[in-house]
Amino acid sequence: MKIRVAPSILSADFSNLGAEVIKVEKSGADLIHCDVMDGSFVEPITFGAQMVKSIRPHTMLPLDVHLMIEHPKTQIKFFADAGADIITVHYGACKKISDSYLKETLELIRSYGVRCGAAVNPDEDVENLFPIFPLCDLILLMTVFPGYGGQKYIKSVTPKIAKARKYADSIGLKELNIEVDGGITEKNFKTAKSAGANYLVAGSAIFNSKDMIMTMENFRNK
Ligand code: DX5
Ligand code: ZN
């Protein structure tokens, strides 16, 4: 499967996001990962759909919007209108509302012609997502607890990546994308790749790199 590198703008200079997005695109990014945090599902607040809309004209790359928010269904319209190409919501945020909320949210995302993803935190079983695998374009396995960039990769997630890939293959979903997010560095990306991840999100490892072209090239090809 083709490996795609998604720099997380969480580690970019928020006062200069247009230029930051142009820089990572020129340096070889495949997607732009946008971390939306609401101060409730996770402690920090980052930005909302208005920011995604402002970034949109600065890049041709797909905008990979990661919603770390409560009640995600209420926000889908705004992010779809803002130009998101992929919208990922959290299992945990949906589950606390109702058993059917995740499925309904994924269907809503699709109804806007946007690709959809579902995420689990490091302490949530990926089996929780098995029933909705066929509805998804992407499964996001958090390799840190969401909220902050620059944390350490949680090794116990690696077998979950393999489990997700194995299950997807077993039900014929050969094209399902498996994304990892959190603590991905030049030291550990191969672990996630060989377990079956093909979308690699990285914030600090890319934005703090002395040579982001080389870092992304390594992520993709090594
Ligand atoms: C964490 C975010 C990640 C984060 C990754 O809550 O979802 O996308 O920005 O940053 P690094 O790569 O620095 O762990
Ligand atoms: Zn993220």
Side-chain angles (χ1 to χ4, degrees):
M1 257 186 134
K2 203 162 182 293
I3 304 296
R4 313 248 181 214
V5 181
S8 162
I9 55 169
L10 188 61
S11 296
D13 174 1
F14 274 29
S15 71
N16 207 12
L17 271 185
E20 293 279 73
V21 164
I22 292 167
K23 183 169 148 198
V24 283
E25 177 166 6
K26 279 195 179 139
S27 303
D30 297 297
L31 309 121
I32 303 294
H33 186 83
C34 304
D35 283 313
V36 176
M37 303 187 189
D38 67 350
S40 177
F41 181 71
V42 288
E43 283 178 332
I45 297 176
T46 53
F47 53 79
Q50 186 64 39
M51 184 70 92
V52 172
K53 194 175 174 188
S54 298
I55 295 167
R56 183 68 284 175
H58 294 283
T59 179
M60 300 285 282
L61 295 178
L63 299 180
D64 176 28
V65 175
H66 176 193
L67 294 184
M68 286 161 275
I69 65 172
E70 310 280 9
H71 301 280
K73 215 202 276 184
T74 63
Q75 288 292 312
I76 302 307
K77 177 185 189 305
F78 302 110
F79 285 96
D81 288 349
D85 296 279
I86 307 173
I87 300 176
T88 297
V89 297
H90 269 260
Y91 167 79
C94 295
K95 176 74 187 166
K96 66 170 85 150
I97 297 170
S98 77
D99 284 347
S100 57
Y101 192 92
L102 175 57
K103 182 172 179 281
E104 289 159 21
T105 308
L106 296 168
E107 286 168 349
L108 181 63
I109 298 169
R110 283 262 175 102
S111 76
Y112 286 99
V114 175
R115 289 187 281 154
C116 66
V120 280
N121 277 354
D123 62 351
E124 293 164 344
D125 291 333
V126 68
E127 283 85 346
N128 289 314
L129 299 182
F130 282 1
I132 51 85
F133 266 37
L135 291 174
C136 288
D137 300 284
L138 181 146
I139 298 297
L140 169 54
L141 300 172
M142 291 304 301
T143 41
V144 299
F145 284 91
Y148 301 94
Q151 302 181 75
K152 209 166 166 290
Y153 179 90
I154 297 173
K155 290 195 181 109
S156 58
V157 181
T158 308
K160 279 165 64 174
I161 305 169
K163 219 185 263 179
R165 178 60 71 202
K166 196 172 164 205
Y167 181 69
D169 284 348
S170 77
I171 58 167
L173 300 175
K174 306 279 180 210
E175 300 302 314
L176 185 65
N177 296 300
I178 297 181
E179 182 173 67
V180 283
D181 183 10
I184 303 294
T185 67
E186 293 200 60
K187 289 208 174 96
N188 62 25
F189 73 95
K190 285 183 194 161
T191 310
K193 265 170 87 164
S194 47
N198 68 310
Y199 272 40
L200 306 178
V201 177
S204 42
I206 293 173
F207 281 96
N208 298 343
S209 170
K210 288 200 183 72
D211 185 347
M212 61 163 66
I213 298 179
M214 185 61 79
T215 301
M216 288 195 267
E217 181 66 20
N218 287 342
F219 280 170
R220 217 174 355 254
N221 296 321
K222 282 206 170 166

